[in-house]
Amino acid sequence: MSRVHITDVAPRDGLQNQRLPVDTATKLALIGRLVAAGVASVEVTSFVSPKAVPQMADAGDLLQQVQARWPALRCSVLVPNLKGLERAHAAGAREVAVVLSATEEMNRRNINMGLEQAAGVCEDTLRAAQQLGLRTRAYVAVAFECPFEGLVPLTTVATLAQRMAQAGAGEIVIADTIGAAAPGMVTERLGVLSREIAVEKLAVHFHDTRGLGTANAWAALEVGIRRFDASVGGIGGCPFAPGAAGNLATEDLVQLAERSGFQTGISLSGLLEAIDLAQTALQQTLGGRCIGWLRRQQARAATPA
Ligand code: HMG
Ligand code: MG
């Protein structure tokens, strides 16, 4: 059976933009529930400016504790520049992800650099990370549509993805930051990209703003993509991209993949435990499109026959 690899980005993408502060112990508990559910890869945090993203101020402490507690867990962390890499390395990071947006304005809003400068910083950071022996990922954000510049040309996305591949990125993550993609676009864009970059190196990161997250994931699966980011409970969104709603929910992706004959290694009932914890911490009702069904299943299982 074919395997679908899921990186749960809830502790980073999901928590970075939350109104209520989430302490390190709660983040650890959330990651613990993800691990218990069978999640094998987590984006733990980001080493960004704590002024820009206060929720990630505990990055070093959190990463150290997570790696000590779950040594077999694949842990990646987002780094926007060399300073972020330095901090991540000092905390013992084994895998880092850089973030390059495919438009001028999105880079400025997100990391205060123009597109060319951002591409250069990402290349330098990727090369430095490899010299340190770290695994690497490179996000190409707003790879479909940008909240400031509209539809993003596929040629730009392809050029930037190639640059990240040439700089040695182990994985190139094509990201729909504001959830504007549709399956036809995914088929077209990932089809072109997978002819230029080995499909095993490509991953996708969908936000579910318009309810097309699972449809887009299916289109990516049909192109041959097997690496996906998703966020438990569907939490997530970039604070610097207006209109960025939650990520494709991990439970929806697991449901889609498992019911279509792929293996994820992740248990839906285990994910519910993580959603319950996140709901309490964030004081919000959470869950992807399948949450109603999942809750009914849970209630049925708890009722004696
Ligand atoms: P800047 O102000 O331009 O940086 O911020 P600077 O180089 O001028 O430095 C200013 C201060 O920040 C200095 O400190 C630096 O040392 C410090 P001061 O001298 O004032 O005390 N600094 C840092 N501190 C901690 N960690 C660092 C770091 N770098 C500089 N790494 C910067 C530039 C990139 C730091 C800032 O704009 C930033 O942190 N931005 C946050 C970006 C972010 O986290 N965005 C959300 C994640 S991306 C996303 O969500 C999209 C994604 O999910 C994919 C998708 O959906 O598309 C990945
Ligand atoms: Mg995102």
Side-chain angles (χ1 to χ4, degrees), residues 91-102:
R94 299 189 290 253
E95 178 165 16
V96 294
V98 298
V99 56
L100 172 62
S101 299

Side-chain angles (χ1 to χ4, degrees), residues 17 105-106 109-110 142 145-149 176-180 209-210 237-245:
N17 201 20
E105 191 58 22
M106 190 63 232
R109 303 282 183 124
N110 195 36
V142 295
E145 207 175 297
C146 169
F148 310 108
E149 298 186 24
D176 180 21
T177 314
I178 55 168
T209 317
R210 304 189 196 188
C238 175
F240 311 104

